[in-house]
Amino acid sequence: SSIILEFLADLFPEAHLLPPDPVLRAKVHLFINIFESKLFKPSEAYFLFYTEGSDSAKELLEGFDALQAALPPSGLAVGAQQWTNADSAVAPFLIRMDIMLKHGIGRYPQSQGLEVRKAWQGQRFARLAQYIADIKESPVYRKVWDEVRTT
């Protein structure tokens, strides 16, 4: 999907999905890469394909740590409130993971789910929680996501 996002950014440059500044463009690509390399597989392993004795909960939390470390102090994925391909690539997954954790949805044992949920909602991931809140305030998100129908 990142290939499609690049294509759309090229087709609609006025949307600024890829910033013209090369440093910010690199941050977009880095953020997507961190998500894909550190969080995507652990989230699948934890929510969809959990197996007893696996380290998927630990790997999921480490993936959240890595993604959170890549966030700027405030705003969206590359700062400010400008929506970029980084947000388009990661937001749908984070929103779904947030919903799944809040409602105990997934193949993981419920006792383990409580531990992960406690960490997810705690101070450890405060910046990631703020990022999700910022996503939800974005006009882009509000146009395409219906929270009531999804939960």
Side-chain angles (χ1 to χ4, degrees):
S1 68
S2 53
I3 293 170
I4 293 169
L5 290 172
E6 288 266 343
F7 178 67
L8 291 172
D10 289 339
L11 279 179
F12 303 101
E14 68 279 2
H16 304 287
L17 295 171
L18 285 175
D21 178 88
V23 172
L24 293 179
R25 280 177 88 94
K27 286 182 179 184
V28 167
H29 293 297
L30 180 62
F31 193 75
I32 293 169
N33 181 269
I34 290 169
F35 171 75
E36 289 174 345
S37 65
K38 306 278 186 191
L39 187 55
F40 184 75
K41 291 275 187 205
S43 69
E44 277 189 326
Y46 185 71
F47 290 108
L48 303 176
F49 305 113
Y50 181 86
T51 56
E52 190 65 39
S54 73
D55 287 334
S56 60
K58 178 180 177 263
E59 291 168 1
L60 178 71
L61 295 174
E62 288 171 353
F64 287 146
D65 283 327
L67 193 66
Q68 178 172 258
L71 285 168
S74 63
L76 296 174
V78 295
Q81 294 302 318
Q82 175 63 41
W83 188 275
T84 66
N85 277 358
D87 305 298
S88 294
V90 173
F93 293 96
L94 283 180
I95 298 296
R96 287 184 186 105
M97 283 187 254
D98 184 50
I99 291 168
M100 292 172 81
L101 286 168
K102 284 180 181 174
H103 296 284
I105 300 168
R107 304 235 351 167
Y108 53 85
Q110 289 305 307
S111 61
Q112 190 179 81
L114 292 174
E115 289 177 36
V116 170
R117 187 169 29 257
K118 183 178 177 184
W120 176 247
Q121 294 172 342
Q123 189 59 36
R124 178 177 176 180
F125 298 114
R127 174 61 184 108
L128 204 48
Q130 184 57 54
Y131 174 58
I132 291 171
D134 292 342
I135 288 169
K136 289 180 176 183
E137 291 300 315
S138 167
V140 173
Y141 172 87
R142 290 172 168 237
K143 283 182 184 177
V144 299
W145 191 271
D146 184 348
E147 184 98 13
V148 175
R149 289 185 58 200
T150 336
T151 54

